[in-house]
Amino acid sequence: MPPTDPAPPAPTPASHLHQHQHQHRHQQPHRTTTHPGAWWLWALALGTAATRTTNPLLLALLITVSAYVVVARRPHAPWSRSYGAFVKLALAVLVIRLLFTTVLGSPIPGTHTLLTLPEVPLPDWAQGIRLGGRVTAEGLTFALYDAMKLATLLICVGAANALANPARLLKSLPGALYEMGVAVVVALTFAPNLIADVQRLRAARRLRGRPDRGMRGLLQVGLPVLEGALERSVALAAAMDSRGYGRTAQVPAPVRRTTAALTLGGLLGVCAGTYGLLTAAGGTYGIPVLVAGAAAALAGLWLGGRRTVRTRYRPDRWDTRAWLVTASGVAVAALLFLANARDPAALHPGVVPLTAPALPLWPAAAVLLGLLPAFITPAPENSTGTPVGTPMKEPS
């Protein structure tokens, strides 16, 4: 009887599970993430919209919109936990502004006296400044409205920090700003690493029964932390030098002078145009000067990028989703600019006489356009690489 080939061994559960995961990994579609620059433009546009109003209802709506997008689309990464710190900073701004108004007084006249503090007499050269005195409801309300504008701007910046990956944002920077961006990213990541080292060393000392508080504990924890930071900085410097960081290409002198003139002139134009937009007197020339300055600065950055000899590995593409995210924020800012020009009283409620602010309908509907990124961008992924909320499949 001719010999027959042995039957193949039956697949074990482990090999079957490995094959299932391998097939699932190949069949799973590639998920793209939103460009970090789009998140920053969206958040800065919301912050710009906040500068055009002191209506606390509209400002609270802007904060709610940014918070909803952050909760829905914030990735699970250490750098995305900064939103809470910005919210605390915004609350601190509100408290400090109200405290200053209470102690130093307010230029807003008021008739509703809440309390009267002992007034400290000041010399003649300090005319216009007072310590103590009457604290009115009108003055506190005006200070609250004005502080909420700055607090909303800070929270919008915090939303950009929580949504945009700093490493990917650094990779997307123009070549002329690459070295500056590396310095900023290294500086921003230094504090979290330092805090993590302190927590790790204090936990290790507690497990060994050694003190981790007081001057003695601070000295015995601080020295290893500084040693670790020094070793990390030396390793980072060696890695950057081995990758050619800081090496530039030869560029003719006329190109360098043109680059410097365009960049400096463009930045000055951007500053002048922004000042014109934020003031009532410069509303006519603000937009043209801002556009011209931004064009000159971009041209200078493009020319300056010729000195940087580096390549990008898998650069982030500015796709349709990034355009829609940016457009939603720009639409909110543009519509609030229009509302401020047509009906400034609705966006800047008065405090004398003291009345409750009203919510203007179509500016509020315009603010809701900022929710668009929460529905058109992909959901954040967990540590297993699957979107949050996706049920796990049982191996067959």
Side-chain angles (χ1 to χ4, degrees):
M1 191 172 216
T4 59
D5 294 333
T12 61
S15 62
H16 183 73
L17 177 61
H18 177 74
Q19 181 181 5
H20 172 77
Q21 292 176 348
H22 182 74
Q23 293 175 356
H24 177 70
R25 188 163 55 242
H26 281 283
Q27 293 173 359
Q28 184 179 4
H30 176 67
R31 295 182 58 83
T32 59
T33 54
T34 309
H35 197 285
W39 285 124
W40 270 100
L41 292 177
W42 170 82
L44 292 178
L46 292 186
T48 304
T51 62
R52 309 313 300 173
T53 179
T54 56
N55 190 319
L57 300 179
L58 286 178
L59 293 174
L61 188 59
L62 281 169
I63 294 174
T64 305
V65 166
S66 65
Y68 181 83
V69 176
V70 169
V71 171
R73 291 298 179 260
R74 178 172 56 180
H76 300 274
W79 50 263
S80 65
R81 302 170 185 170
S82 60
Y83 186 73
F86 278 90
V87 172
K88 295 177 182 177
L89 180 61
L91 293 177
V93 167
L94 290 176
V95 172
I96 292 173
R97 180 60 190 276
L98 293 177
L99 182 63
F100 277 13
T101 302
T102 302
V103 176
L104 302 178
S106 174
I108 302 299
T111 57
H112 297 79
T113 303
L114 298 178
L115 71 156
T116 302
L117 299 176
E119 188 169 355
V120 179
L122 297 176
D124 296 336
W125 54 266
Q127 293 295 329
I129 303 175
R130 70 176 179 87
L131 292 177
R134 290 193 317 124
V135 180
T136 62
E138 290 84 355
L140 286 179
T141 304
F142 177 79
L144 177 64
Y145 289 176
D146 199 49
M148 280 192 66
K149 182 166 61 174
L150 179 58
T152 305
L153 180 59
L154 289 174
I155 290 176
C156 291
V157 174
N161 279 275
L163 293 169
N165 190 334
R168 292 177 52 216
L169 183 63
L170 172 64
K171 188 171 64 173
S172 304
L173 284 177
L177 300 178
Y178 178 71
E179 297 181 1
M180 185 186 304
V182 170
V184 171
V185 170
V186 171
L188 290 177
T189 55
F190 175 76
N193 290 331
L194 199 65
I195 294 174
D197 288 345
V198 171
Q199 294 175 348
R200 176 175 53 83
L201 290 172
R202 290 184 61 184
R205 291 184 62 83
R206 285 195 298 267
L207 290 175
R208 294 183 176 92
R210 298 177 182 177
D212 61 324
R213 298 181 182 275
M215 185 58 65
R216 181 180 178 184
L218 179 62
L219 293 177
Q220 295 183 357
V221 169
L223 291 178
V225 168
L226 293 178
E227 181 183 0
L230 181 60
E231 292 178 354
R232 189 163 48 245
S233 62
V234 171
L236 177 62
M240 294 169 67
D241 183 69
S242 64
R243 288 167 172 82
Y245 177 78
R247 302 173 188 175
T248 58
Q250 295 294 332
V251 178
V255 176
R256 291 200 303 268
R257 288 191 289 267
T258 304
T259 301
L262 286 174
T263 305
L264 181 60
L267 293 179
L268 291 177
V270 169
C271 294
T274 304
Y275 176 78
L277 289 177
L278 296 178
T279 57
T284 56
Y285 69 85
I287 294 180
V289 173
L290 179 62
V291 172
L298 290 176
L301 293 177
W302 178 75
L303 287 176
R306 298 173 60 183
R307 298 181 65 246
T308 303
V309 286
R310 69 185 184 95
T311 58
R312 290 189 179 97
Y313 177 68
R314 292 183 179 179
D316 291 316
R317 294 182 300 175
W318 192 276
D319 53 3
T320 306
R321 185 183 295 113
W323 281 113
L324 291 175
V325 170
T326 305
S328 65
V330 172
V332 173
L335 290 175
L336 283 191
F337 267 87
L338 181 61
N340 186 39
R342 290 190 172 184
D343 190 8
L347 269 67
H348 300 277
V351 295
V352 180
L354 190 61
T355 56
L359 180 64
L361 294 182
W362 77 265
V367 172
L368 294 179
L369 293 176
L371 291 173
L372 184 63
F375 304 99
I376 64 173
T377 56
E381 296 180 351
N382 53 24
S383 58
T384 60
T386 57
V388 176
T390 303
M392 298 296 293
K393 295 182 178 180
E394 295 292 335
S396 56

